[in-house]
Amino acid sequence: MSYLFESFKGWKKYCEENGANLYDSVIEYEIVQKGKSEKDIWEGLQKAYTVMKDAVETGLREDMTSRSGMINNGAKKVYNHPVSVLSPEFQRLISRALAAKEVNSCMGRVVAAPTAGASGILPGTLYTLQEIHHLSDRKILEGLLVGAGIALIIEEKASLAGAVGGCQAETGSAAAMAAGAMVYCLDGTIEQVFNAVAITIQCMLGLICDPVAGLVEIPCVVRNASAAAIANSSAQIALADVSAVIPVDECIEAMGEIGSSMESKYKETAMGGLAMTLTGQTIAKRVLIRDIEILPDETLPE
Amino acid sequence: MGGKSSVFDMIGPIMIGPSSSHTAGVVRIARSAIRVLGGRPDHAEITFYNSFARTYEGHSSDRAIIGGLLDFKTDDPRIKQALDLAKEFGLTYNFKSIGNASVYHPNTIKLSLTKGEQKVEIIGESLGGGLINIAELDGFSANFSAQSHTLIIKAKDESGAIAFISSVIAQEKTNIATMSVSRKGKHDVACHVIEMDSGLNPITITYLKSLPWIKELIYIPEIDL
């Protein structure tokens, strides 16, 4: 038997009734539902975390210029800038989230967590958390499992795809996974972990997916940095037991409701928002293939 | 497949960016196609349709498709240099863009591959999240995901053929997950595409291949595409 990740309420109840902690129940799910061995799961997580850390380091070391030219070594500039707006730790957090996401935009290797478009958020937050609090890899991997459980429920109740739910579904979900994982790693209670998820979702609700020229670059890269910052602010709030008031399951339902009523031009189609600005359209004209044969409209039998 | 997602769909897949449908899915379409062909092609005619037609270069789907044809996996960093590496592997190619092909899925690629005397034509769809559907194979409707053991049989269109093939598979206690049969015309050639939960023994494959009414058999064991 395993818990099927249908709601946060159900997940908490399952853990309490079975004396399981959050990450145990995710391992149990993967073993029972997917036929994996516990050893394979830990190895898979270690591999994923290694790729995440590599992406952060690659983005801060190697040339990160995208084919369109819109992404041009931003992470390094932030990392090396002499003025720290808040603290050196905050500066590193932002530059790391940017770095891993720039690697994705520039055809490097990343972990889609939960998607490629949001692949800078968990690396940026967890790398920085581990550094500040001297956490073991094992603890971070447990946090990743908690994040996976969070994503399984969001997928069930709303969506993780920009084409279905807008940017809130991608960077919003990744930030929620990160906030929950961070609170877990800092020994938060189940209540606090879920509260961090609820607060993060509240901060990310309504975000549309409006990529310039349809590329996973602008505004995706900077949104990975802002999502990482929001995950940290939510974790800070949740650890202090400040309630989200609206329960986490209802926050996720609100995200699903907003996603389903969002116009399709705001769902990865590059037909609205930043993609339709004057500059956005000029860039699109330059980037898109123009040598294209257009078939005549068919007369559909109606 | 189907049903609930895995932990490694949430924390994963590990892939080359920028997008699961424009890189990972495209690599998988190409890797499925070369398994149908039986190896790396010498030449590829590649057509990008609809949404892919305009965006394939910006999203680097051109590098992804060539990388896949060179049998690079979805997380292989060499994908970024695939266009340069094609020469080393002796692969020549042409790209073409066609828009407004309303009969096709928004993200569709047609691959016409040649390897010596062998030729194969595949129409693949990138469904999002790296999932794919091989919609057509040499003009036959195919519809397989390349996520499980797949058997493709081109055989004379005769009565009893479907029952015969499925009974041979049943002898191995292999469960059929999906099966589709399409044909060019009555008593012409029919194409059977069968996805199975477990693999087949080599001897079963050899037996099926030896039957005179079976013209061509392709077996693609479950692989990590």
Side-chain angles (χ1 to χ4, degrees):
Chain A
M1 197 193 138
S2 71
Y3 183 61
L4 290 175
F5 294 91
E6 281 153 345
S7 70
F8 286 92
K9 201 174 163 187
W11 189 9
K12 184 166 183 264
K13 188 160 169 271
Y14 181 85
C15 289
E16 285 167 355
E17 283 174 2
N18 293 277
N21 61 34
L22 288 173
Y23 81 84
D24 275 339
S25 53
V26 182
I27 291 187
E28 196 178 67
Y29 165 87
E30 192 71 5
I31 292 172
V32 174
Q33 299 298 322
K34 297 288 149 186
K36 293 239 177 67
S37 73
E38 187 169 343
K39 183 170 166 276
D40 287 348
I41 296 169
W42 288 114
E43 281 173 8
L45 290 166
Q46 184 68 58
K47 189 178 176 199
Y49 189 47
T50 303
V51 173
M52 286 182 183
K53 287 190 288 188
D54 284 351
V56 166
E57 285 157 15
T58 303
L60 290 173
R61 189 182 59 235
E62 291 178 16
D63 176 49
M64 287 297 138
T65 311
S66 66
R67 220 161 159 185
S68 72
M70 290 192 286
I71 301 306
N72 181 14
N73 295 301
K76 279 190 262 331
K77 288 176 199 158
V78 173
Y79 193 88
N80 295 321
H81 195 77
V83 179
S84 288
V85 173
L86 275 183
S87 68
E89 290 83 1
F90 181 75
Q91 192 175 0
R92 288 202 288 272
L93 168 75
I94 298 304
S95 63
R96 285 168 182 155
L98 292 172
K101 180 61 193 68
E102 285 181 2
V103 166
N104 176 64
S105 294
C106 300
M107 287 200 87
R109 188 157 66 158
V110 294
V111 183
T115 61
S119 56
I121 296 160
L122 282 163
T125 50
L126 297 181
Y127 192 117
T128 307
L129 189 80
Q130 184 172 33
E131 181 184 74
I132 294 173
H133 295 276
H134 310 291
L135 300 171
S136 65
D137 267 14
R138 164 73 190 211
K139 194 74 180 176
I140 299 289
L141 303 190
E142 291 173 7
L144 282 176
L145 284 167
V146 173
I150 293 166
L152 284 168
I153 296 173
I154 298 176
E155 186 184 46
E156 177 78 26
K157 290 173 81 90
S159 172
L160 299 171
V164 179
C167 191
Q168 56 168 5
E170 297 208 20
T171 59
S173 299
M177 292 162 74
M182 282 191 284
V183 171
Y184 169 81
C185 288
L186 297 176
D187 301 323
T189 62
I190 293 181
E191 197 63 46
Q192 289 170 334
V193 169
F194 289 1
N195 202 34
V197 174
I199 293 166
T200 308
I201 295 297
Q202 290 184 4
C203 298
M204 301 293 290
L205 278 182
L207 206 53
I208 60 168
C209 178
D210 52 352
V212 171
L215 303 178
V216 201
E217 299 184 14
I218 306 289
C220 320
V221 171
V222 290
R223 277 192 197 158
N224 272 252
S226 62
I230 285 176
N232 274 274
S233 79
S234 303
Q236 190 74 69
I237 295 168
L239 274 171
D241 283 326
V242 178
S243 170
V245 179
I246 309 296
V248 60
D249 285 307
E250 295 178 37
C251 293
I252 305 294
E253 280 153 22
M255 185 167 121
E257 184 257 320
I258 292 167
S260 58
S261 57
M262 197 181 273
E263 286 187 51
S264 72
K265 65 178 178 173
Y266 299 132
K267 292 194 230 183
E268 218 181 280
T269 53
M271 301 296 277
L274 294 170
M276 284 306 277
T277 57
L278 193 60
T279 305
Q281 291 187 66
T282 309
I283 294 168
K285 270 191 200 128
R286 174 168 63 76
V287 168
L288 297 182
I289 303 273
R290 271 175 285 182
D291 178 17
I292 175 170
E293 179 188 336
I294 299 288
L295 298 181
D297 284 328
E298 284 175 64
T299 40
L300 295 168
E302 284 273 348
Chain B
M1 298 306 283
K4 303 282 289 189
S5 293
S6 155
V7 163
F8 295 100
D9 297 319
M10 305 296 109
I11 309 291
I14 296 173
M15 55 172 273
I16 298 300
S19 131
S20 53
S21 48
H22 289 83
T23 39
V26 170
V27 170
R28 285 180 168 152
I29 288 171
R31 293 190 79 220
S32 307
I34 61 175
R35 275 158 184 77
V36 176
L37 182 69
R40 286 186 183 122
D42 315 317
H43 183 74
E45 289 291 330
I46 300 152
T47 312
F48 289 99
Y49 288 95
N50 301 337
S51 168
F52 267 1
R54 285 194 195 283
T55 61
Y56 78 81
E57 212 172 77
H59 283 104
S60 292
S61 304
D62 50 351
R63 304 184 196 191
I65 199 83
I66 298 297
L69 291 174
L70 299 177
D71 209 15
F72 298 164
K73 288 174 78 165
T74 48
D75 66 344
D76 191 326
R78 289 178 297 173
I79 290 171
K80 193 172 179 178
Q81 286 88 39
L83 297 180
D84 300 327
L85 291 170
K87 278 187 212 84
E88 282 177 36
F89 283 88
L91 168 66
T92 57
Y93 56 84
N94 281 313
F95 292 119
K96 195 177 169 189
S97 279
I98 295 183
N100 208 22
S102 54
V103 292
Y104 291 144
H105 180 272
N107 289 340
T108 295
I109 298 174
K110 181 160 86 185
L111 291 172
S112 302
L113 307 178
T114 322
K115 176 185 165 65
E117 297 293 297
Q118 278 167 280
K119 277 187 194 330
V120 74
E121 189 178 279
I122 289 275
I123 291 176
E125 304 165 345
S126 185
L127 305 176
L131 297 175
I132 62 163
N133 178 46
I134 303 298
E136 286 184 28
L137 192 163
D138 292 336
F140 292 102
S141 160
N143 292 311
F144 63 97
S145 67
Q147 283 202 334
S148 41
H149 306 269
T150 307
L151 185 64
I152 300 161
I153 295 175
K154 285 186 201 162
K156 218 168 149 228
D157 179 38
E158 283 186 342
S159 60
I162 297 173
F164 184 88
I165 293 167
S166 51
S167 74
V168 170
I169 294 170
Q171 294 296 325
E172 285 215 34
K173 302 206 167 16
T174 295
N175 187 34
I176 294 178
T178 72
M179 178 165 187
S180 75
V181 183
S182 73
R183 61 180 188 182
K184 293 261 158 95
K186 237 179 187 176
H187 305 304
D188 195 346
V189 179
C191 181
H192 306 243
V193 178
I194 303 152
E195 291 183 287
M196 299 162 295
D197 291 338
S198 53
L200 291 175
N201 279 312
I203 191 159
T204 305
I205 312 273
T206 312
Y207 169 62
L208 285 170
K209 273 185 177 166
S210 74
L211 299 170
W213 52 277
I214 289 186
K215 311 239 177 252
E216 196 183 341
L217 182 148
I218 300 155
Y219 177 58
I220 310 173
E222 188 178 54
I223 49 153
D224 174 24
L225 282 176

